[in-house]
Amino acid sequence: MSAKKTALTVLSAGLLVPAMLVVPAHAAPTPPPDGKGQPPKAVAAPPASMSTVGGALLGKPGVQVNPLAGAPALPTELTGRSWIVADAETGEVLAANNAHWRLPPASTMKMLFADTVLPSLPKDQVHKVTEQEMEGVGAGSSLVGVKEDHEYTVHDLWLGVFLRSGNDAVHVLAAMNGGIDKTVKDMQAHAEELQALDTHVVSPDGYDAPEQVSSAYDLTLIARSGLQKQDFREYCGTASAKFPGRQEPGKPREYFEIQNTNRLMTGASGLSPYKGIAGVKNGNTTMAGSTFTGMAQQGNKKLLVTVMNPSAGGLNSVYEETANLLDWGFAAIGKVKPVGELVPPKSADTSPFGSPAQTHEHKPSAAREEAGGGIGTALGVAGGALAVIAGGAYAVNRRWPRGPRGRRDGGQPT
């Protein structure tokens, strides 16, 4: 790849809320019929060697952290099979545990679905749902309440995806994108463009399927890419909204309230909202257990944390461990030596970092160019159908790594 200058992409939004050598695929086991439930009791050991995209230490099993003088100790009782703490602005990985372990992602896969499909569908487009579009929604799926023969805007459907993790809304949007098969191919191509090479897409909604896997590293890359998009930030940072209900001729459309299932945003079951949380996505299935990727800001510090399948009991474990890692990360910035870095998309990469990026698929990927210029404007969301927890604004500078020592150059926007 010839050297070229790349952009320093600036992202701003009104959603700050208080509250490479790639190893062969490790297939997920076949799920039970309902695809839902609690994490499996047996926890296998991570592979002895994993992908080294982002740095050699990230390919090693176990906890990776390089504390400097005055660094806080990592939280105790972290039970996630895989987790990562990264500076959302610089991309530096502050600490990680089995970062490239390929595991079932559950509904965190919807972040890739949204980052892939969202730019291609105008949010004000109105669509009438057909019976065929609702076929194939997995038994026991999370649903927002989409009904056939009813009309919805694309905006409505994305709220259903992000707030209620609605697999029904995912299937309709996938149909609008050309169908499930095309959407899966688009998502796989986009994952490879992002260098999220641990990710193998089988279903767009994250429903358990054999060989559908991702990693804490990949989910963090995907979230960081999604947060460059204004609409993505709006949806993942929305606490509650009005969703269209029954539609009868000659009568006003009924609406009902939906609330974000991200417990660090809205608080639930004894949890309080996490200060500065701004998204992004949670999930839970039988094979994946609980998964969560969260973005938060405190002062001028912005962090991304992903936790996959904690073995501790309780539905709050993934949120509690995420909150503890966020607390640690905010205290640790500047006091730890990074153990790796979030790599740029292939189209923005001008020099190697870690192992060369290679696809795990059997054929070359047609890398998908990211739609839009990637420069967001401040969102002002007030009143109407959306209810966003009060907050301020945050700006994330997405800085691409510039070589093995994280060297960076200036450049013109691309």
Side-chain angles (χ1 to χ4, degrees):
M1 183 182 295
S2 60
K4 65 178 181 178
K5 293 182 178 180
T6 56
L8 176 66
T9 305
V10 178
L11 155 72
S12 58
L15 293 178
L16 176 62
V17 289
M20 169 167 329
L21 297 175
V22 180
V23 297
H26 296 273
T30 302
D34 67 354
K36 301 291 288 184
Q38 295 300 312
K41 296 298 183 183
V43 178
S49 64
M50 295 171 277
S51 165
T52 56
V53 171
L57 289 177
L58 299 181
K60 295 182 177 181
V63 173
Q64 306 300 323
V65 62
N66 288 326
L68 302 175
L74 279 166
T76 59
E77 300 180 358
L78 292 175
T79 68
R81 298 174 83 182
S82 175
W83 53 259
I84 192 170
V85 183
D87 187 313
E89 186 168 18
T90 67
E92 294 174 339
V93 177
L94 306 182
N97 177 50
N98 304 321
H100 281 290
W101 192 357
R102 303 181 73 195
L103 298 166
S107 286
T108 49
M109 182 66 82
K110 291 182 173 77
M111 295 189 297
L112 178 60
F113 172 70
D115 195 38
T116 303
V117 175
L118 193 154
S120 66
L121 299 176
K123 65 192 302 182
D124 58 354
Q125 180 178 342
V126 178
H127 179 77
K128 188 172 184 178
V129 176
T130 68
E131 181 179 358
Q132 291 73 23
E133 291 168 350
M134 300 295 288
E135 293 177 353
V137 176
S141 288
S142 52
L143 306 172
V144 67
V146 174
K147 302 297 182 184
E148 62 187 65
D149 297 323
H150 283 56
E151 292 183 340
Y152 302 87
T153 65
V154 168
H155 178 73
D156 293 330
L157 294 169
W158 283 120
L159 287 171
V161 170
F162 277 93
L163 273 68
R164 298 304 303 172
S165 205
N167 288 6
D168 47 357
V170 169
H171 276 247
V172 174
L173 288 165
M176 295 174 69
N177 185 59
I180 295 293
D181 291 344
K182 176 182 179 296
T183 298
V184 166
K185 290 178 181 178
D186 289 348
M187 290 170 65
Q188 190 67 59
H190 188 48
E192 292 173 12
E193 157 63 10
L194 296 177
Q195 303 203 61
L197 304 182
D198 300 322
T199 298
H200 180 77
V201 185
V202 178
S203 66
D205 51 22
Y207 191 85
D208 283 334
E211 298 189 27
Q212 177 151 273
V213 290
S214 189
S215 67
Y217 182 88
D218 280 15
L219 293 174
T220 308
L221 276 186
I222 292 163
R224 195 175 185 222
S225 176
L227 288 165
Q228 306 301 307
K229 297 175 176 64
Q230 177 176 327
D231 288 347
F232 187 105
R233 296 194 304 271
E234 175 188 336
Y235 297 131
C236 80
T238 299
S240 63
K242 298 295 184 182
F243 193 80
R246 185 176 304 175
Q247 184 178 13
E248 296 183 2
K251 294 183 179 181
R253 184 74 179 263
E254 296 179 1
Y255 288 83
F256 57 93
E257 184 170 320
I258 57 175
Q259 188 175 60
N260 201 313
T261 55
N262 175 355
R263 296 186 182 184
L264 289 189
M265 178 173 290
T266 59
S269 302
L271 281 180
S272 298
Y274 188 86
K275 180 181 179 182
I277 195 74
V280 290
K281 192 69 188 77
N282 56 304
N284 184 282
T285 65
T286 299
M287 304 318 302
S290 295
T291 60
F292 182 65
T293 297
M295 156 73 187
Q297 176 181 352
Q298 292 184 10
N300 62 353
K301 300 175 182 178
K302 303 102 181 178
L303 292 178
L304 278 164
V305 169
T306 296
V307 175
M308 301 186 76
N309 195 354
S311 61
L315 295 177
N316 285 338
S317 296
V318 74
Y319 301 106
E320 292 168 346
E321 294 190 20
T322 298
N324 289 338
L325 285 169
L326 284 168
D327 287 345
W328 176 84
F330 285 123
I333 290 179
K335 299 177 182 178
V336 294
K337 181 181 178 181
V339 296
E341 218 165 340
L342 302 178
V343 296
K346 287 180 180 179
S347 60
D349 195 6
T350 62
S351 59
F353 183 80
S355 296
Q358 299 175 5
T359 175
H360 66 269
E361 298 298 313
H362 297 297
K363 57 184 179 180
S365 163
R368 179 182 182 274
E369 291 294 333
E370 189 173 23
I375 299 178
T377 56
L379 291 177
V381 182
L386 296 180
V388 180
I389 298 177
Y394 71 95
V396 173
N397 298 323
R398 183 168 59 179
R399 300 170 182 168
W400 301 137
R402 304 300 300 173
R405 293 180 177 84
R407 183 179 66 260
R408 299 180 179 87
D409 301 321
Q412 297 299 315
T414 56

